[in-house]
């Protein structure tokens, strides 16, 4: 062994194994490309992205850390989402939640999103 050498174990590394996932269809209605990273609270993604925001509440992309998905203008893609883990507290992003991910907070966050012009499956 050399100093600093890393010898990985044999076999594939599975991420998010055993976590329940949800697949939703997402359309970029913007004139610009949009990229969403692996740990972004998907509910709060770019306001010009059209998708079921209620279904995406409290979820993130099911991707390895540091990865992202990119949509060109007008493009629709199906993506798989999983629950945000840890203490289930979301702060920052677009400022739609800023607290614990609760059922009550979802309705309030959706109202804020609609008031600020975020698209969802209905709008």
């Amino acid at each position: 062994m050399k100093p600093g050498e890393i010898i990985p174990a044999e076999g594939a590394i599975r991420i998010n194994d055993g976590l329940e996932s949800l697949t939703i269809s997402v359309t970029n209605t913007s004139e610009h490309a949009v990229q969403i990273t692996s740990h972004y609270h998907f509910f709060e993604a770019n306001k010009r992205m059209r998708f079921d925001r209620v279904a995406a509440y409290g979820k993130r992309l099911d991707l390895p850390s540091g990865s992202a998905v990119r949509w060109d203008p007008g493009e629709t893609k199906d993506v798989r989402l999983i629950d945000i883990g840890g203490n289930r507290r979301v702060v920052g992003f677009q400022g739609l939640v800023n607290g614990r991910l609760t059922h009550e907070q979802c309705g309030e966050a959706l109202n804020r999103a609609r008031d600020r012009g975020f698209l969802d499956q209905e709008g």
Side-chain angles (χ1 to χ4, degrees), residues 15-78:
I15 63 167
N16 305 327
D17 199 23
L19 297 179
E20 188 174 320
S21 66
L22 164 74
T23 300
I24 64 171
S25 183
V26 182
T27 301
N28 179 6
T29 69
S30 171
E31 294 178 4
H32 306 281
V34 173
Q35 183 167 304
I36 302 172
T37 58
S38 58
H39 284 67
Y40 197 87
H41 182 211
F42 207 85
F43 175 90
E44 299 186 63
N46 186 298
K47 67 172 48 181
R48 302 305 308 161
M49 302 297 278
R50 183 183 305 280
F51 60 92
D52 184 349
R53 289 197 189 260
V54 172
Y57 180 79
K59 300 190 181 306
R60 65 177 184 83
L61 287 166
D62 186 7
L63 296 174
S65 182
S67 299
V69 177
R70 176 189 164 105
W71 286 261
D72 287 325
E75 186 174 23
T76 299
K77 290 183 181 180
D78 289 343

Side-chain angles (χ1 to χ4, degrees), residues 6-19:
I6 297 173
I7 302 172
E10 294 291 323
I13 297 173
R14 297 181 55 89
I15 63 167
N16 305 327
D17 199 23
L19 297 179

Side-chain angles (χ1 to χ4, degrees), residues 2 8 12 38-39 51 64 69 77 85 87 94-95 98 120 122:
K2 299 175 188 159
S38 58
H39 284 67
F51 60 92
V69 177
K77 290 183 181 180
N87 64 12
Q94 299 278 358
N98 284 332
D120 62 26
E122 298 176 14

